[in-house]
Amino acid sequence: MTDTLWPAPVATGAVDATVTVPGSKSVTNRALILAALAGEPSWVRRPLRSRDSQLMADGLRALGVGIEEQVNNSAGGTGGGEAWRIIPAPRLSGPARIDVGNAGTVMRFLPPLAVLADGAVHFDGDPRSHERPQHGVIDSLRALGARIEDGGRGGFPLTVHGTGALDGGVVELDASASSQFVSALLLSGARYNQGVEVRNTGGPVPSLPHIRMTVDMLRLAGVQVDAPEDGGEPDVWRVTPGALLGRDLVVEPDLSNAAPFFGAALVTAGQVTVRDWPRHTTQPGDQLREIFGQMGGRAEFTDEGLSFTGTGAVHGIEVDLHDVGELAPVIAAVAALADSESHLYGIAHLRMHETDRLAALAKEINELGGDVSETADGLRIRPRPLHGGVFHTYEDHRLATAAAVLGLVVPGVEVENIATTAKTLPDFPEMWTDLLGRAAG
Ligand SMILES: O=C(O)C1=C[C@@H](OP(=O)(O)O)[C@@H](O)[C@H](O)C1
Ligand SMILES: C=C(OP(=O)(O)O)C(=O)O
């Protein structure tokens, strides 16, 4: 029920908690794709189990990939507990129907894999999937030799007519709307006859750490990749054709989903430790240490993970979020509670995310009494005393978690459809209640 209202709990004091954040959506869904393309079985341990990863797993299963859910404490050393065992199909095959939901990773990463299946693979998803940009994937796959029917829409619903193989080669595209166009082609590219060379001819590509994640995970699967940041040509990524190795991989916690929990520490002058924070990672959420640090908190590695402490001060910030747009909604919520103005920029592409995030954040914070204006590529946020009210979430998990942060210190915030957090963080309401514990009102 999308019209259900969740009364956001108010913190009566400083939060003080240690939190286990579920696995990264981006790592889990890449690991599933790479395991499906490998020449041998893989383990994906501590996977994210959420709507987006379930959609990815179901899509791969529809093409013949075996994904067994196991609780296994003995196999393969580290990361016992929950795991997925992935058995690649001897031959990916259609006909199949795949639901992409509103998952960018599923929308963009699966069609390039479906071209390797034998048969017709039909894709459709939530109404929003019909609006999110997909041209970078469809046009590129066509240029590389694929047959795709999309009724001239340039997006979903669409049918990939797989023939079991793709020529591949060099392709030019405009990836300024989404880094996922580039990641999508690279992830399956090693299985194309000539591999793939992706050349961005558009404006700057957003979310570059996510492309780095793709490149690193491909290399760990034995694929040779040339990338700009390793001295290669700017805006060009090249994947050499070849087999992929099966892997045994432990998924890192989703650091972008740590944002509301650290946000809680910041706005209540409390302390939150997120367990198992990796010391080295390509996840954009790692930049929370720096960004929330500038906003007044203090991050420190401990034996358990990363501990973040609010000092009582919450400062405004001027920050380019082009690389880390996923973090913008929670940063905007914290900024609305700060002691000075903020300017978040470099995030025009957020207009085509789960919803138009710039418009939605401005409207919803303003309806609570805030003063947020949209710029061409971001938000200006001038803190004002806020009051309670309904916060609409537009089927966007990050709008919902941002609203929960506001609700900690603004009594009477009611969050519409908190269940939308199931996209990447299914247990969010319970985790939030646990976080507050005695600090809840
Ligand atoms: O590749 C990925 O896993 C992602 C890339 C980013 O997409 P955009 O480049 O479209 O922002 C990010 O916002 C999204 O949540 C996940
Ligand atoms: C933009 C996001 O998701 P998606 O993978 O659907 O693009 C996000 O999680 O913030």
mmCIF file of all heavy atoms in Angstrom, residues 43 45-47 49 70-74 78-84:
data_model
loop_
_atom_site.group_PDB
_atom_site.id
_atom_site.type_symbol
_atom_site.label_atom_id
_atom_site.label_comp_id
_atom_site.label_asym_id
_atom_site.label_seq_id
_atom_site.Cartn_x
_atom_site.Cartn_y
_atom_site.Cartn_z
ATOM 1 N N TRP A 43 30.509 -18.598 -5.546
ATOM 2 C CA TRP A 43 29.798 -18.293 -4.295
ATOM 3 C C TRP A 43 29.667 -16.779 -4.165
ATOM 4 O O TRP A 43 30.641 -16.052 -4.387
ATOM 5 C CB TRP A 43 30.585 -18.778 -3.078
ATOM 6 C CG TRP A 43 30.567 -20.257 -2.853
ATOM 7 C CD1 TRP A 43 31.553 -21.138 -3.177
ATOM 8 C CD2 TRP A 43 29.525 -21.013 -2.223
ATOM 9 N NE1 TRP A 43 31.182 -22.405 -2.804
ATOM 10 C CE2 TRP A 43 29.942 -22.355 -2.215
ATOM 11 C CE3 TRP A 43 28.284 -20.683 -1.689
ATOM 12 C CZ2 TRP A 43 29.157 -23.372 -1.681
ATOM 13 C CZ3 TRP A 43 27.499 -21.692 -1.157
ATOM 14 C CH2 TRP A 43 27.940 -23.018 -1.157
ATOM 15 N N ARG A 45 28.709 -14.522 -1.072
ATOM 16 C CA ARG A 45 28.392 -14.624 0.364
ATOM 17 C C ARG A 45 27.911 -13.290 0.908
ATOM 18 O O ARG A 45 28.325 -12.245 0.452
ATOM 19 C CB ARG A 45 29.629 -15.058 1.141
ATOM 20 C CG ARG A 45 30.137 -16.405 0.661
ATOM 21 C CD ARG A 45 31.337 -16.873 1.459
ATOM 22 N NE ARG A 45 31.905 -18.034 0.791
ATOM 23 C CZ ARG A 45 31.449 -19.263 0.914
ATOM 24 N NH1 ARG A 45 30.426 -19.526 1.714
ATOM 25 N NH2 ARG A 45 32.010 -20.261 0.257
ATOM 26 N N ARG A 46 27.060 -13.377 1.902
ATOM 27 C CA ARG A 46 26.410 -12.194 2.484
ATOM 28 C C ARG A 46 25.805 -11.298 1.399
ATOM 29 O O ARG A 46 26.044 -10.077 1.373
ATOM 30 C CB ARG A 46 27.395 -11.370 3.320
ATOM 31 C CG ARG A 46 27.889 -12.109 4.521
ATOM 32 C CD ARG A 46 28.565 -11.114 5.452
ATOM 33 N NE ARG A 46 29.616 -11.770 6.198
ATOM 34 C CZ ARG A 46 30.569 -11.155 6.856
ATOM 35 N NH1 ARG A 46 30.622 -9.835 6.869
ATOM 36 N NH2 ARG A 46 31.462 -11.821 7.522
ATOM 37 N N PRO A 47 25.066 -11.905 0.443
ATOM 38 C CA PRO A 47 24.469 -11.082 -0.610
ATOM 39 C C PRO A 47 23.410 -10.171 -0.026
ATOM 40 O O PRO A 47 22.835 -10.474 1.028
ATOM 41 C CB PRO A 47 23.818 -12.118 -1.531
ATOM 42 C CG PRO A 47 23.454 -13.247 -0.604
ATOM 43 C CD PRO A 47 24.574 -13.297 0.420
ATOM 44 N N ARG A 49 19.802 -9.215 0.121
ATOM 45 C CA ARG A 49 18.505 -9.798 -0.250
ATOM 46 C C ARG A 49 17.488 -8.683 -0.187
ATOM 47 O O ARG A 49 17.048 -8.305 0.900
ATOM 48 C CB ARG A 49 18.113 -10.916 0.715
ATOM 49 C CG ARG A 49 19.015 -12.105 0.615
ATOM 50 C CD ARG A 49 18.792 -13.029 1.794
ATOM 51 N NE ARG A 49 19.794 -14.064 1.809
ATOM 52 C CZ ARG A 49 19.667 -15.219 1.186
ATOM 53 N NH1 ARG A 49 18.574 -15.488 0.509
ATOM 54 N NH2 ARG A 49 20.623 -16.120 1.258
ATOM 55 N N GLN A 70 21.794 -20.794 0.125
ATOM 56 C CA GLN A 70 22.310 -21.763 1.077
ATOM 57 C C GLN A 70 22.764 -21.074 2.357
ATOM 58 O O GLN A 70 23.196 -19.932 2.328
ATOM 59 C CB GLN A 70 23.518 -22.487 0.487
ATOM 60 C CG GLN A 70 23.196 -23.157 -0.827
ATOM 61 C CD GLN A 70 24.210 -24.220 -1.186
ATOM 62 O OE1 GLN A 70 25.150 -24.459 -0.430
ATOM 63 N NE2 GLN A 70 24.010 -24.866 -2.312
ATOM 64 N N VAL A 71 22.659 -21.822 3.435
ATOM 65 C CA VAL A 71 23.298 -21.373 4.667
ATOM 66 C C VAL A 71 24.466 -22.323 4.845
ATOM 67 O O VAL A 71 24.281 -23.520 5.012
ATOM 68 C CB VAL A 71 22.349 -21.450 5.863
ATOM 69 C CG1 VAL A 71 23.079 -21.079 7.144
ATOM 70 C CG2 VAL A 71 21.168 -20.524 5.630
ATOM 71 N N ASN A 72 25.647 -21.794 4.691
ATOM 72 C CA ASN A 72 26.804 -22.663 4.608
ATOM 73 C C ASN A 72 27.949 -22.049 5.395
ATOM 74 O O ASN A 72 28.474 -21.007 5.021
ATOM 75 C CB ASN A 72 27.185 -22.817 3.131
ATOM 76 C CG ASN A 72 28.216 -23.882 2.940
ATOM 77 O OD1 ASN A 72 29.112 -24.025 3.760
ATOM 78 N ND2 ASN A 72 28.089 -24.630 1.863
ATOM 79 N N ASN A 73 28.317 -22.699 6.479
ATOM 80 C CA ASN A 73 29.366 -22.119 7.317
ATOM 81 C C ASN A 73 30.728 -22.726 7.062
ATOM 82 O O ASN A 73 31.715 -22.264 7.597
ATOM 83 C CB ASN A 73 29.000 -22.265 8.788
ATOM 84 C CG ASN A 73 27.821 -21.369 9.115
ATOM 85 O OD1 ASN A 73 27.861 -20.174 8.862
ATOM 86 N ND2 ASN A 73 26.763 -21.966 9.630
ATOM 87 N N SER A 74 30.776 -23.757 6.219
ATOM 88 C CA SER A 74 32.054 -24.443 6.088
ATOM 89 C C SER A 74 32.746 -24.155 4.759
ATOM 90 O O SER A 74 33.951 -24.002 4.713
ATOM 91 C CB SER A 74 31.845 -25.946 6.222
ATOM 92 O OG SER A 74 30.876 -26.349 5.265
ATOM 93 N N THR A 78 36.154 -17.640 4.582
ATOM 94 C CA THR A 78 35.504 -16.453 5.155
ATOM 95 C C THR A 78 34.054 -16.309 4.724
ATOM 96 O O THR A 78 33.615 -16.865 3.739
ATOM 97 C CB THR A 78 36.217 -15.173 4.695
ATOM 98 O OG1 THR A 78 36.220 -15.170 3.285
ATOM 99 C CG2 THR A 78 37.608 -15.097 5.253
ATOM 100 N N GLY A 79 33.347 -15.517 5.466
ATOM 101 C CA GLY A 79 32.021 -15.114 5.045
ATOM 102 C C GLY A 79 31.007 -16.226 5.099
ATOM 103 O O GLY A 79 30.136 -16.326 4.231
ATOM 104 N N GLY A 80 31.099 -17.103 6.073
ATOM 105 C CA GLY A 80 30.079 -18.136 6.249
ATOM 106 C C GLY A 80 28.730 -17.503 6.486
ATOM 107 O O GLY A 80 28.585 -16.290 6.442
ATOM 108 N N GLY A 81 27.722 -18.323 6.722
ATOM 109 C CA GLY A 81 26.382 -17.776 6.884
ATOM 110 C C GLY A 81 25.649 -17.837 5.568
ATOM 111 O O GLY A 81 25.809 -18.777 4.807
ATOM 112 N N GLU A 82 24.855 -16.811 5.295
ATOM 113 C CA GLU A 82 24.042 -16.854 4.094
ATOM 114 C C GLU A 82 24.907 -16.708 2.844
ATOM 115 O O GLU A 82 25.837 -15.915 2.817
ATOM 116 C CB GLU A 82 23.033 -15.723 4.131
ATOM 117 C CG GLU A 82 22.032 -15.928 5.244
ATOM 118 C CD GLU A 82 20.831 -15.020 5.090
ATOM 119 O OE1 GLU A 82 20.672 -14.419 4.020
ATOM 120 O OE2 GLU A 82 20.070 -14.937 6.050
ATOM 121 N N ALA A 83 24.553 -17.492 1.830
ATOM 122 C CA ALA A 83 25.318 -17.404 0.587
ATOM 123 C C ALA A 83 24.450 -17.837 -0.578
ATOM 124 O O ALA A 83 23.474 -18.552 -0.402
ATOM 125 C CB ALA A 83 26.552 -18.295 0.667
ATOM 126 N N TRP A 84 24.804 -17.354 -1.765
ATOM 127 C CA TRP A 84 24.202 -17.852 -2.990
ATOM 128 C C TRP A 84 25.266 -18.634 -3.740
ATOM 129 O O TRP A 84 26.397 -18.163 -3.892
ATOM 130 C CB TRP A 84 23.702 -16.688 -3.876
ATOM 131 C CG TRP A 84 22.373 -16.143 -3.441
ATOM 132 C CD1 TRP A 84 21.439 -16.775 -2.688
ATOM 133 C CD2 TRP A 84 21.832 -14.850 -3.738
ATOM 134 N NE1 TRP A 84 20.340 -15.954 -2.511
ATOM 135 C CE2 TRP A 84 20.553 -14.775 -3.144
ATOM 136 C CE3 TRP A 84 22.299 -13.755 -4.473
ATOM 137 C CZ2 TRP A 84 19.739 -13.649 -3.249
ATOM 138 C CZ3 TRP A 84 21.496 -12.643 -4.571
ATOM 139 C CH2 TRP A 84 20.224 -12.585 -3.970
#
